[in-house]
Amino acid sequence: MTTLISFIIVLGILIFIHELGHFAVAKACGVGVEKFSLGFGPKLIGIKRGETEYRISLLPLGGYVKMVGEAAGESVSDELRMKSFTHKPVWKRVLIVAAGPTMNLVLAIVLLPVIFMIGIQLPVYLEKPAEVGYVVVGEPAQKAGIQAGDTIVEFGGREIKHWEDLLTQVAMSPSKKVELTLERGGEKIETAITPDASAETGAGYGGMYPPMKPVIGDVASGYPAREAGIKAGDTILSIDGLAIRHWAELEDVIHKSGKKIKLHVLRDSKELTFEVMPKYNEDAKVHLIGISRQEEVQVRQYGFTESISKGVTTGVQMTGKLFVVIKGLVLGEYSLKTLGGPIMIAQVAGKAAESGISDVLSLVAFLSLQLGIINLFPIPVLDGGHIVFFGLEAIKGKPLSEKFMTVAQQVGIVLLIGLMVLVTWNDLLRVFG
């Protein structure tokens, strides 16, 4: 029930804000609005105020604003001609159509700083001294001579007080040789590191981790670990006789495994052994067993100025990752199976509701940002497609033909329905395996 209610609330906010943008700008531009609906299909409840009927409809996966004279070829009486959408100048129609996705972007921009002011959950290790718990073989940290147990105290002339400082400096130094100072056994050692640049984000990566105990926090359904009987809270002691002391070491062994492995675990003071056949993941190009790490977290609140800065940075990062994923899907680097639909959103919304208001707002901001950007894509049916049509109309100096508009809309609808079928099918496969 929590999942369903959370899904309706999250989706309702996104739809309401989007349609409110269309509605408000349409009114401001003198366009008559006949209906303002949250949802599609048969009306559940409604009330009429002035010329507009405000309603909630049966199917919650969307909404619409029905404007006077909106449809191509729609007949409008002389009395309503001044309020007709199609009889307004092109620039006004562009403003009305663009207002929906713009409102979604504004919502994300407003929510992100608020989330940081309310407080977000962060790993506890971020505020601890930058003691290295594990060094990945063959990566920048090992090449620089850094070892497990070292504590980084200076990076590029800047004092490093905790892990957050170090991660920030490394991320800002991709492919740059940087001097650093570390402490080992009471002695200070000078060395240099050249962080690799992440293929996805371009940020610097050092290949070193803080201490992370190999304790399982969650076991995913449909994966070998759950089928074998492994549970959240288990501590991995060894894999095929190899002692495991760090989570990154555990990941490295599993990712490279191509055969059945034997996991020795500690559960409630008892040692147990499980045999697991890792599952190869085509997208990540590694083997997985479906476990995630148990992490100690704390809630951190930020001041007003810092929250705005954090919000802007997070928004930019979200936008960048969205385009990286879209590029990967287009080029075939990511499988279409990674796409999620309503069921996946409902599941995430349910988990967010259980975690607290900050996680719910984070989900709303994330989805609103995506909705705003994707809606501006030049695809028929989407707002961006309509804006392109209006641009072509302005260039031609006259409206596009009804036949062209009809065919374009039909193509857009087919694409949209196809996408909905795909993501829903992906959701069902995740749920039922």
Side-chain angles (χ1 to χ4, degrees), residues 121-202:
Q121 289 189 345
L122 291 174
V124 170
Y125 76 80
L126 286 177
E127 293 188 344
K128 291 184 176 181
E131 178 188 349
V132 179
Y134 183 75
V135 177
V136 182
V137 176
E139 295 195 352
Q142 187 193 47
K143 294 176 182 178
I146 299 171
Q147 302 175 9
D150 292 347
T151 299
I152 312 300
V153 294
E154 197 171 288
F155 187 96
R158 294 174 179 269
E159 181 184 6
I160 300 298
K161 296 181 180 179
H162 39 59
W163 264 100
E164 186 173 20
D165 284 346
L166 178 59
L167 292 175
T168 300
Q169 294 306 316
V170 171
M172 294 172 62
S173 308
S175 304
K176 296 179 183 178
K177 186 175 181 179
V178 182
E179 303 293 327
L180 65 77
T181 304
L182 58 87
E183 288 185 354
R184 180 186 300 164
E187 296 183 7
K188 287 191 175 182
I189 299 174
E190 305 287 338
T191 186
I193 185 173
T194 304
D196 288 337
S198 167
E200 289 189 356
T201 64

Side-chain angles (χ1 to χ4, degrees), residues 18-19 22 40 61-63 70 85 93-94 96-102 104 322 326 370-391 405 408-417 419-420:
H18 184 92
E19 300 305 331
H22 293 314
F40 296 114
L61 304 178
E70 178 181 3
F85 175 79
R93 280 179 276 157
V94 169
I96 294 169
V97 171
T102 299
N104 285 122
L322 172 61
I326 292 172
Q370 288 196 12
L371 183 62
I373 293 173
I374 292 174
N375 246 296
L376 289 172
F377 284 6
I379 300 173
V381 178
L382 298 183
D383 293 326
H386 289 294
I387 292 172
V388 170
F389 293 154
F390 296 147
M405 294 291 289
Q409 296 288 354
Q410 289 173 344
V411 170
I413 290 172
V414 169
L415 290 174
L416 193 59
I417 292 175
L419 179 61
M420 286 300 297

Side-chain angles (χ1 to χ4, degrees), residues 387-424:
I387 292 172
V388 170
F389 293 154
F390 296 147
L392 293 175
E393 179 182 333
I395 293 171
K396 287 183 63 178
K398 62 180 181 179
L400 303 178
S401 70
E402 284 187 37
K403 183 178 180 180
F404 173 82
M405 294 291 289
T406 300
V407 172
Q409 296 288 354
Q410 289 173 344
V411 170
I413 290 172
V414 169
L415 290 174
L416 193 59
I417 292 175
L419 179 61
M420 286 300 297
V421 170
L422 172 65
V423 297
T424 303

Side-chain angles (χ1 to χ4, degrees), residues 16-37 49 51-54 64-67 96-97 99-100 103:
F16 175 75
I17 288 295
H18 184 92
E19 300 305 331
L20 181 63
H22 293 314
F23 174 82
V25 177
K27 285 286 191 180
C29 291
V31 175
V33 178
E34 298 174 355
K35 294 177 184 177
F36 184 111
S37 177
R49 288 287 183 270
E51 66 180 1
T52 307
E53 180 189 15
Y54 303 89
Y64 64 92
V65 169
K66 174 63 176 72
M67 292 174 280
I96 294 169
V97 171
M103 281 293 285

Side-chain angles (χ1 to χ4, degrees), residues 320-330 334 338-339:
K321 289 177 181 178
L322 172 61
F323 282 102
V324 167
V325 171
I326 292 172
K327 175 186 173 185
L329 290 170
V330 172
Y334 298 141
T338 60
L339 296 176

Side-chain angles (χ1 to χ4, degrees), residues 75-399:
S75 59
V76 178
S77 65
D78 292 338
E79 181 183 351
L80 294 176
R81 188 179 178 85
M82 293 298 294
K83 289 188 173 184
S84 171
F85 175 79
T86 53
H87 289 87
K88 294 295 180 182
V90 170
W91 67 270
K92 284 191 176 183
R93 280 179 276 157
V94 169
L95 287 180
I96 294 169
V97 171
T102 299
M103 281 293 285
N104 285 122
L105 297 176
V106 169
L107 176 63
I109 292 169
V110 170
L111 282 183
L112 287 171
V114 171
I115 292 164
F116 284 101
M117 283 187 275
I118 292 174
I120 60 172
Q121 289 189 345
L122 291 174
V124 170
Y125 76 80
L126 286 177
E127 293 188 344
K128 291 184 176 181
E131 178 188 349
V132 179
Y134 183 75
V135 177
V136 182
V137 176
E139 295 195 352
Q142 187 193 47
K143 294 176 182 178
I146 299 171
Q147 302 175 9
D150 292 347
T151 299
I152 312 300
V153 294
E154 197 171 288
F155 187 96
R158 294 174 179 269
E159 181 184 6
I160 300 298
K161 296 181 180 179
H162 39 59
W163 264 100
E164 186 173 20
D165 284 346
L166 178 59
L167 292 175
T168 300
Q169 294 306 316
V170 171
M172 294 172 62
S173 308
S175 304
K176 296 179 183 178
K177 186 175 181 179
V178 182
E179 303 293 327
L180 65 77
T181 304
L182 58 87
E183 288 185 354
R184 180 186 300 164
E187 296 183 7
K188 287 191 175 182
I189 299 174
E190 305 287 338
T191 186
I193 185 173
T194 304
D196 288 337
S198 167
E200 289 189 356
T201 64
Y205 167 73
M208 50 187 164
Y209 294 89
M212 295 178 179
K213 294 180 180 179
V215 181
I216 298 173
D218 191 28
V219 183
S221 60
Y223 276 86
R226 174 168 289 191
E227 295 169 1
I230 294 173
K231 297 181 179 180
D234 289 350
T235 300
I236 307 297
L237 301 176
S238 67
I239 298 180
D240 289 338
L242 174 68
I244 300 296
R245 300 179 180 83
H246 194 278
W247 184 268
E249 186 178 19
L250 166 69
E251 283 188 333
D252 186 55
V253 173
I254 293 174
H255 287 176
K256 294 177 180 177
S257 63
K259 58 182 180 63
K260 186 176 287 187
I261 56 176
K262 188 175 291 186
L263 277 72
H264 195 51
V265 310
L266 181 66
R267 179 190 296 170
D268 299 328
S269 301
K270 296 180 181 179
E271 294 188 12
L272 305 170
T273 300
F274 300 91
E275 287 192 344
V276 181
M277 183 64 201
K279 183 177 181 180
Y280 187 71
N281 185 285
E282 290 288 347
D283 298 316
K285 307 300 182 187
V286 296
H287 289 86
L288 303 172
I289 65 172
I291 58 175
S292 59
R293 183 169 61 87
Q294 184 182 85
E295 189 165 57
E296 187 180 357
V297 297
Q298 64 182 353
V299 176
R300 181 193 291 183
Q301 293 177 309
Y302 295 84
F304 180 76
T305 303
E306 194 174 8
S307 293
I308 292 175
S309 175
K310 288 279 186 181
V312 171
T313 302
T314 302
V316 171
Q317 290 173 344
M318 283 182 176
T319 303
K321 289 177 181 178
L322 172 61
F323 282 102
V324 167
V325 171
I326 292 172
K327 175 186 173 185
L329 290 170
V330 172
L331 298 180
E333 296 171 358
Y334 298 141
S335 169
L336 292 174
K337 293 179 182 179
T338 60
L339 296 176
I343 298 175
M344 184 177 181
I345 294 174
Q347 291 174 328
V348 175
K351 290 182 179 180
E354 292 172 359
S355 299
I357 185 64
S358 181
D359 281 358
V360 173
L361 293 179
S362 296
L363 177 62
V364 172
F366 173 70
L367 293 176
S368 192
L369 185 68
Q370 288 196 12
L371 183 62
I373 293 173
I374 292 174
N375 246 296
L376 289 172
F377 284 6
I379 300 173
V381 178
L382 298 183
D383 293 326
H386 289 294
I387 292 172
V388 170
F389 293 154
F390 296 147
L392 293 175
E393 179 182 333
I395 293 171
K396 287 183 63 178
K398 62 180 181 179

